[in-house]
Amino acid sequence: MEAHNRIELTGTLTAMDAVRYTPAGIPIIEIKLSHQSAQTEAGRKREVVVEVMALAAGEAANKLAKSPLGAQVRLKGFLAHRGKSRVQLVLHINDFEFI
């Protein structure tokens, strides 16, 4: 069985930390994305409002660091544990675009 872990999420960039660097010199940035949409669940419409923590590495981190808060973005990536926590998840950004 092939395992899948792909996320695509649109929303508003609401918070951004300063760029930091790994010991190998790779830039990392953490952001917060606010998402709001109407989804169908069990045949009924449901309003969804969620804030998601995400991080980008490498060139994506450098590009995001220049983004203004309030920008509308589409993030593509995967979910992973946040640090050693098995409870908190973070979206690791592979690609993004402004919408």
Side-chain angles (χ1 to χ4, degrees):
M1 180 173 117
E2 185 178 347
H4 297 280
N5 182 352
R6 287 179 247 165
I7 303 295
E8 183 174 331
L9 189 65
T10 60
T12 304
L13 184 59
T14 58
M16 182 178 347
D17 289 346
V19 174
R20 60 184 171 83
Y21 294 86
T22 67
I26 298 170
I28 302 282
I29 192 165
E30 292 190 49
I31 66 164
K32 187 185 294 184
L33 185 80
S34 177
H35 169 86
Q36 190 170 0
S37 65
Q39 301 294 318
T40 302
E41 182 177 44
R44 295 180 183 236
K45 285 236 174 189
R46 176 181 177 183
E47 291 297 316
V48 176
V49 178
V50 64
E51 287 189 337
V52 176
M53 297 303 297
L55 68 84
E59 187 57 34
N62 289 330
K63 287 170 56 176
L64 269 173
K66 298 174 186 168
S67 305
L69 293 181
Q72 298 294 307
V73 294
R74 175 179 291 113
L75 305 178
K76 295 178 183 179
F78 62 93
L79 292 175
H81 292 124
R82 182 176 180 90
K84 295 186 185 219
S85 170
R86 295 287 181 189
V87 178
Q88 290 183 316
L89 297 176
V90 63
L91 171 59
H92 286 249
I93 302 165
N94 287 329
D95 190 26
F96 78 95
E97 64 183 339
F98 295 102
I99 53 174

